[in-house]
Amino acid sequence: MELDGGDDYQGASAGASATYPIQCSALRKNGFVMIKNRPCKIMEMTTSKTGKHGHAKVHLVGLDIFNNKKYEDLCPSTHNIDVPNVFRTDYTLIDISDDGFCSLMNEKGETRDDLRTPEGELGQKIQDEFKKEDNTVIVTVMRAVDEEAIIASKNASS
């Protein structure tokens, strides 16, 4: 059989899927999991004994990695549950605009201006550090399931 050149096949890239399945019993505390369609960090995990009607159950308590809301789920230990692909990238903070958007540069010199300064203590810390003279602020951006946010910062000019 010969293939004609008319068909275009798109290959899947390494980060093609936002999540991947894993057996509930293989999850670990401080790992990541999807609870109620939100990417969460597992804070607590308990397994109940097998009842007379079947499977042991895993009780998960997780904090949303973007908004810190608490979520809980109960899953049979032999069932699969989705785990988000989570990526962390460090950027140098170049500027903070009046409307709160950060100008960021990666190690390749590429810039982006689409992320807002976080709310609360972290946002205040980033702004205070940035205002200091001769100071380089590095921010960590976490990305999972088509969402991104600045989750940490550090002073690089120590």
Side-chain angles (χ1 to χ4, degrees):
M1 187 173 119
E2 200 175 306
L3 288 176
D4 67 348
D7 291 332
D8 249 357
Y9 292 102
Q10 289 295 126
S13 69
S17 176
T19 62
Y20 60 94
I22 192 169
Q23 195 167 330
C24 268
S25 58
L27 294 171
R28 296 290 172 257
K29 189 175 175 182
N30 293 326
F32 297 106
V33 68
M34 294 295 288
I35 302 178
K36 306 211 184 334
N37 288 325
R38 298 293 305 157
C40 296
K41 183 173 184 174
I42 301 169
M43 303 316 286
E44 285 176 48
M45 194 176 148
T46 51
T47 305
S48 65
K49 288 195 169 95
T50 306
K52 66 178 180 183
H53 294 293
H55 306 287
K57 298 246 190 308
V58 178
H59 178 243
L60 298 166
V61 178
L63 284 181
D64 188 305
I65 59 178
F66 294 116
N67 63 26
N68 276 338
K69 271 191 186 169
K70 186 175 172 181
Y71 290 97
E72 294 189 45
D73 200 4
L74 202 58
C75 167
S77 64
T78 57
H79 284 204
N80 281 350
I81 192 165
D82 283 335
V83 173
N85 283 312
V86 178
F87 304 94
R88 290 167 168 258
T89 312
D90 284 345
Y91 291 91
T92 303
L93 181 60
I94 302 168
D95 194 16
I96 301 174
S97 68
D98 294 337
D99 57 359
F101 281 92
C102 295
S103 264
L104 306 173
M105 183 171 67
N106 67 13
E107 69 274 353
K108 295 178 189 164
E110 301 162 337
T111 60
R112 60 183 294 183
D113 305 291
D114 58 338
L115 290 175
R116 205 176 266 284
T117 310
E119 304 279 314
E121 242 177 77
L122 177 60
Q124 195 56 54
K125 177 187 164 200
I126 291 170
Q127 290 186 5
D128 293 346
E129 286 292 323
F130 185 69
K131 287 176 189 163
K132 292 179 184 171
E133 236 175 89
D134 299 328
N135 210 3
T136 303
V137 178
I138 305 293
V139 296
T140 302
V141 174
M142 188 178 279
R143 177 169 54 93
V145 289
D146 297 330
E147 244 182 277
E148 285 184 298
I150 295 171
I151 55 141
S153 75
K154 62 183 180 244
N155 183 342
S157 23
S158 299

